[in-house]
Amino acid sequence: MDHVRQTVGSGSPLEPRIGFSRAVRKGAHVAVAGTAPIGDDGATVGRGDVHAQTVRCLDIADAALKETGASLGDVVRTRIMLTDVTRWEEAARAHGERFASVRPVCTFLEVSRFIDPEWLVEVELDAILG
């Protein structure tokens, strides 16, 4: 089994500043960091809309997975972090749109806030290839 470490960046200016990668693959394991709803222009996508923000987070995570050779079908765990857990169903709808047939384990958590107060949700995920 290949145990080379592969890191994937998303272009976020926070990555080098904080010292993290969007995703890391080590062997068959891929971890995707907490992914915020940031557009290509650096602005928050879907202001006030949990579903739209969750979709954006999943799009970013999916792109990072693909760079490692993984896909959403390889995902075994997701974590959905919300600033208001009472809005979990909006995030769950986006999750179900991507994972209805994959059915990874999933945890919804409430957090007090994110780095940017416009972010309502962040998504983390773990995948195993093969």
Side-chain angles (χ1 to χ4, degrees):
M1 182 182 286
D2 181 12
H3 291 288
V4 173
R5 179 183 176 96
Q6 176 188 3
T7 60
V8 173
S10 66
S12 167
L14 294 176
E15 289 175 15
R17 183 172 162 199
I18 296 171
F20 80 99
S21 298
R22 172 66 35 227
V24 174
R25 177 179 176 180
K26 179 83 172 175
H29 299 268
V30 181
V32 179
T35 302
I38 301 170
D40 293 337
D41 62 357
T44 300
V45 170
R47 287 187 177 95
D49 185 335
V50 170
H51 178 266
Q53 288 194 9
T54 306
V55 166
R56 179 60 183 162
C57 293
L58 291 170
D59 287 346
I60 295 167
D62 185 26
L65 284 171
K66 286 177 181 166
E67 282 196 53
T68 70
S71 71
L72 291 176
D74 297 309
V75 173
V76 297
R77 175 182 298 276
T78 60
R79 291 170 204 85
I80 311 297
M81 297 164 280
L82 298 153
T83 56
D84 180 358
V85 79
T86 66
R87 297 182 70 181
W88 72 271
E89 289 182 272
E90 296 168 68
R93 181 166 53 97
H95 189 276
E97 291 164 0
R98 300 293 176 94
F99 293 111
S101 64
V102 179
R103 298 188 54 183
V105 297
C106 179
T107 302
F108 287 83
L109 306 162
E110 183 172 84
V111 298
S112 62
R113 66 169 289 182
F114 295 111
I115 292 170
D116 185 325
E118 290 186 331
W119 302 344
L120 305 174
V121 62
E122 282 196 19
V123 175
E124 285 184 347
L125 53 85
D126 300 301
I128 301 175
L129 285 83

